[in-house]
Amino acid sequence: MLDQTLEVENLHLWRGERHVLRGVRFTLQGGDCLEVTGANGSGKTSLLRTLCGLIYPEEGRVVWNGENVRRDLPAFHAALAYLGHEPPLKSDLSARENLRYWIGVRRRISAAELDAALLRVGAGSWCDRLVRTLSAGQRRRVALAGLALLIVPLWLLDEPSTNLDSEGQELVGTLLAEQLARGGMVIAAVHQGLPAAVRAARRLELAA
Amino acid sequence: MVPGFAATATTGAAASALEAARLALLRDLRLAFRKRGQLVQPLAFFVLVTMLFPLAVSPELSRLRELAPGVLWVAALLASQLALEFLFRDDAYDGTLEQYALSGQPLTGLMFAKTTAHWLLTGLPLALVAPLAGLSLGVPAAAIPGIIISVAVGSVALSLIGSIGAALTLGMKRSGALLALLTLPLSLPVLIFGARATQLAINGASLLAPLELLGALAVLGVTLAPLAAAAAVRISLE
Amino acid sequence: MTWTWFHRLGSPPYVYALAARLTPWFAWPAAVLILAGLWGGLMLAPPDYQQGEGFRIIYVHAPSAWMSLMVYTTMAVAAAVGLIWRIKVAHAVAASCAPIGASFTFAALVTGALWGEPMWGTYWEWDPRLTSELILLFLYLGYMGLRAGIEDPQRADRAGAVLAIVGVVNVPIIHYSVTWWNSLHQAPSVMSLAKPKMPLSMLTPLLLMLLGFTLFFVAVLLVRLRGEVLSRERTASWMREAVAR
């Protein structure tokens, strides 16, 4: 098992005059999954983005494997994958091209790997069409393909199952389960709970 | 790579900063060619602006030749401005800029790659079209190489300076006027040296002095502008 | 030990109180110096042999121009401190500086035009100094425009800081290029009164005005800073107590 740890200490965040995060703290080990719940506007997205290092909290810190992530932010970023509300895709590129550029900027990737990932999410027949012609659910699947290709210890996911049918939701479950099985961590902000395959999750409820 | 993860067959070596920048450049070029119509707009605008002067001032070529350096450079400046909005706007909107910031690669290098793409798609074509506009203003044919070189080098600095303004005004609706207000004062040195270089080219004299100054501005821009743009992008993502 | 006062300067309540206490110490000396400078410049100093009485406007023009540049630099330094060390008060200082600096720039331009009219016959000449001042005005307007256009106050602070730093690096470049441009076209510059040739009776009022303007700037800055801190911290508990007192 991996001995990666993520410690979050006493995070306080203000957005304008709103005290969005009030002393959030938790510790995760490899293989842990954290489910972040809360009503709209309770700060789920802000929490994820603060954990990524995109937002600078007024108080508190994020510690990755014993080191404050602010010390070496690029190294921390190389160890995480973040998926926001919208899939990060250019509408004038195909799914395949999008993945090639998105993942390729981070690591070398072969055509075979791209093919395998696209097939896995069921994109075999439409992976070369421009993304602007795809439905929201299809775009979400492409984002999941990217996630599957980013084999990194920490996944930060903002509503990963949005726009997906039941088959798609199962796919999310499988991917998450695989990530946890190989010792990775998952922090997922969800509205309606995680897929069944990821049963043993800890919960963090954010009050609005 | 992280121990335990390297064993999986699907992990490859991390991309170097240079490879990442190269991919970012290629992506932007490919995207631009998918929307070829948009590429022509700044050039069309440039030609249109230069056309305004004969109509507004006088059709006499001798008078136009005097105005030519100024007209060409003001038009180039404004056309370059127009194209700036597209530099970061789409990426900020669809989340790909965020992914760049989270890629683990130096954001400065990626900003430089994007600005290079912008120059290849706007500045360089402007440099090639400028002589045609110049000819219509009575500029002698012998001045053409000088015009191409001065606009090509000057537009490098314009793209770099512009990238800072574009990054600062990310996410603002209708930021066109503010972007111009930010970028034009900073671009004035380029205008001054560039117009001078073009004037010398028209006179048939050596334009080495202002060209060197333009080059110095471009080099300064290359070292500092991507840094400032990266800082501005990170601020917009906070 | 020395860091304690620096840390305290980063605390809004401390700065709010300190600014109130310090303002009179700058405001009164500023008034005295400016009055002395004006009296010396308008009454005592002999008329310039070339320009007659008209040159007296230099006693307002030169300090204004000097201050416009000094304030921009102060603004950029404060913004940089706020950006790098994430000190909110530094951003408040930068925000307070901008309108003051823009006013100085505007004053320099207006007095420059008023000076020019009797000399050149026109209200405007593309003299390198005046042109640089005009560009500086646009740099100020751009800074204020950017801050006004960004809704999130923290983001406005930080984006403004990047712009201010880029601007301050560019100011010498712009000035150099404008001087270079002007020298090509050999326009005579009436504005450069060679400093060594200025007799003491002319120089002293000028220095008094300069010092007076500097103190005036600090006084106005302190007043504006209090206003900035007030508006930024209006919901904080310490602020509500302070206002209630």
Side-chain angles (χ1 to χ4, degrees):
Chain A
M1 251 308 126
L2 286 180
D3 53 0
Q4 311 274 312
T5 46
L6 179 71
E7 294 162 69
V8 173
E9 299 169 8
N10 197 32
L11 280 185
H12 283 272
L13 178 69
W14 272 265
R15 296 253 91 172
E17 289 165 25
R18 285 199 311 133
H19 194 172
V20 176
L21 297 177
R22 294 168 229 159
V24 172
R25 58 166 64 80
F26 58 83
T27 305
L28 293 183
Q29 311 271 8
D32 281 348
C33 175
L34 181 67
E35 183 186 337
V36 180
T37 55
N40 285 332
S42 55
K44 301 196 293 291
T45 303
S46 299
L47 175 61
L48 288 179
R49 302 187 82 224
T50 309
L51 293 175
C52 277
L54 289 174
I55 302 178
Y56 198 92
E58 267 78 9
E59 263 182 70
R61 43 187 217 142
V62 179
V63 179
W64 175 248
N65 293 337
E67 220 182 84
N68 190 338
V69 300
R70 290 272 150 197
R71 284 247 172 88
D72 190 357
L73 217 39
F76 181 51
H77 287 159
L80 71 79
Y82 170 73
L83 222 49
H85 270 145
E86 293 299 319
L89 306 172
K90 307 295 304 179
S91 23
D92 288 310
L93 294 178
S94 73
R96 187 194 301 274
E97 288 167 332
N98 262 295
L99 288 180
R100 195 176 134 233
Y101 291 118
W102 172 23
I103 311 298
V105 161
R106 300 184 57 147
R107 69 172 183 86
R108 301 222 184 90
I109 185 164
S110 67
E113 283 179 86
L114 281 177
D115 285 337
L118 287 165
L119 273 176
R120 186 138 185 235
V121 301
S125 57
W126 44 264
C127 58
D128 289 308
R129 275 166 45 192
L130 292 185
V131 162
R132 66 161 77 244
T133 63
L134 302 178
S135 72
Q138 288 171 317
R139 291 180 209 198
R140 176 65 57 177
R141 283 170 185 258
V142 178
L144 292 178
L147 199 58
L149 287 167
L150 281 174
I151 313 297
V152 288
L154 176 60
W155 282 5
L156 296 159
L157 312 174
D158 204 342
E159 314 265 2
S161 311
T162 323
N163 295 316
L164 289 177
D165 51 23
S166 54
E167 197 193 312
Q169 308 218 4
E170 265 181 55
L171 177 60
V172 172
T174 319
L175 286 175
L176 294 187
E178 280 174 15
Q179 166 75 348
L180 296 172
R182 58 178 167 247
M185 288 176 227
V186 173
I187 303 179
V190 286
H191 237 123
Q192 290 150 327
L194 288 172
V198 199
R199 225 170 287 265
R202 291 160 50 186
R203 285 173 122 242
L204 173 65
E205 171 109 30
L206 292 179
Chain B
M1 275 304 282
V2 178
F5 279 80
T8 332
T10 46
T11 52
S16 73
L18 200 58
E19 283 168 15
R22 193 183 127 264
L23 267 182
L25 173 64
L26 289 176
R27 189 199 76 164
D28 277 10
L29 291 178
R30 180 173 288 221
L31 277 168
F33 278 96
R34 293 272 162 92
K35 289 202 271 204
R36 240 162 274 154
Q38 258 186 22
L39 279 181
V40 180
Q41 284 169 12
L43 298 177
F45 181 77
F46 172 76
V47 173
L48 198 58
V49 169
T50 58
M51 258 175 61
L52 296 176
F53 286 83
L55 292 169
V57 177
S58 145
E60 279 173 63
L61 284 182
S62 55
R63 275 193 75 182
L64 291 174
R65 195 175 305 126
E66 267 178 54
L67 296 175
V71 169
L72 287 178
W73 272 92
V74 169
L77 201 53
L78 295 177
S80 176
Q81 267 294 113
L82 260 197
L84 275 179
E85 271 191 90
F86 305 116
L87 186 50
F88 297 122
R89 197 190 52 183
D90 285 343
D91 287 353
Y93 193 65
D94 58 32
T96 44
L97 197 57
E98 193 172 64
Q99 289 296 324
Y100 273 176
L102 291 171
S103 61
Q105 301 291 0
L107 193 57
T108 310
L110 296 173
M111 294 299 100
F112 178 63
K114 287 189 68 68
T115 312
T116 307
H118 179 263
W119 178 74
L120 287 172
L121 296 165
T122 325
L124 196 54
L126 265 182
L128 297 173
V129 170
L132 299 175
L135 287 174
S136 77
L137 295 172
V139 164
I144 291 182
I147 293 180
I148 295 180
I149 292 186
S150 56
V151 175
V153 175
S155 56
V156 169
L158 289 181
S159 285
L160 288 162
I161 295 169
S163 72
I164 304 177
L168 285 171
T169 53
L170 271 179
M172 289 173 68
K173 303 166 201 122
R174 287 185 269 123
S175 60
L178 180 64
L179 182 54
L181 178 59
L182 297 182
T183 312
L184 290 179
L186 299 174
S187 311
L188 286 177
V190 179
L191 175 66
I192 291 173
F193 300 141
R196 180 64 181 165
T198 307
Q199 178 69 71
L200 291 172
I202 291 175
N203 296 351
S206 157
L207 37 61
L208 204 56
L211 198 59
E212 281 173 359
L213 289 167
L214 277 180
L217 286 178
V219 168
L220 188 65
V222 166
T223 29
L224 297 180
L227 255 171
V233 163
R234 275 194 216 101
I235 289 168
S236 78
L237 290 171
E238 267 182 31
Chain C
M1 223 20 246
T2 24
W3 290 119
T4 344
W5 67 262
F6 186 72
H7 277 289
R8 281 200 290 173
L9 278 183
S11 144
Y14 180 72
V15 169
Y16 188 75
L18 184 66
R21 288 206 318 267
L22 285 180
T23 308
W25 289 95
F26 285 94
W28 288 112
V32 167
L33 283 171
I34 290 176
L35 284 173
L38 281 176
W39 186 60
L42 297 177
M43 301 292 149
L44 294 183
D48 181 66
Y49 81 99
Q50 256 186 338
Q51 300 177 33
E53 301 290 335
F55 92 102
R56 291 190 196 278
I57 204 156
I58 196 184
Y59 291 109
V60 180
H61 172 80
S64 297
W66 170 255
M67 287 310 298
S68 70
L69 209 48
M70 210 205 88
V71 171
Y72 196 91
T73 313
T74 309
M75 186 177 85
V77 169
V81 168
L83 187 69
I84 299 172
W85 287 284
R86 294 189 180 254
I87 299 176
K88 290 190 290 183
V89 168
H91 285 302
V93 169
S96 312
C97 280
I100 310 175
S103 308
F104 276 126
T105 316
F106 188 68
L109 287 171
V110 167
T111 51
L114 290 175
W115 187 0
E117 213 280 322
M119 303 300 145
W120 307 311
T122 68
Y123 277 109
W124 185 257
E125 262 284 331
W126 289 101
D127 158 274
R129 289 265 214 31
L130 272 188
T131 312
S132 296
E133 277 297 311
L134 185 60
I135 299 172
L136 187 62
L137 182 63
F138 281 109
L139 287 180
Y140 273 115
L141 293 179
Y143 177 80
M144 296 193 289
L146 181 66
R147 292 192 69 118
I150 297 180
E151 283 158 15
D152 177 40
Q154 269 180 326
R155 214 191 118 181
D157 278 344
R158 296 178 66 73
V162 172
L163 183 63
I165 296 169
V166 170
V168 92
V169 166
N170 262 273
V171 160
I173 300 175
I174 292 175
H175 184 73
Y176 172 75
S177 63
V178 168
T179 313
W180 187 88
W181 158 77
N182 198 264
S183 69
L184 292 176
H185 303 272
Q186 289 149 342
S189 173
V190 197
M191 299 221 156
S192 46
L193 280 176
K195 291 286 170 53
K197 292 207 211 115
M198 240 204 273
L200 204 60
S201 53
M202 275 194 201
L203 198 56
T204 320
L206 200 57
L207 293 176
L208 287 178
M209 287 296 278
L210 192 55
L211 197 55
F213 267 42
T214 309
L215 296 178
F216 174 67
F217 157 60
V218 178
V220 177
L221 176 63
L222 290 172
V223 171
R224 287 202 66 94
L225 184 56
R226 285 196 96 216
E228 267 292 326
V229 172
L230 182 63
S231 98
R232 278 153 191 261
E233 303 272 322
R234 64 181 174 278
T235 52
S237 47
W238 73 265
M239 178 52 76
R240 287 196 227 114
E241 280 171 42
V243 171
R245 259 189 260 123

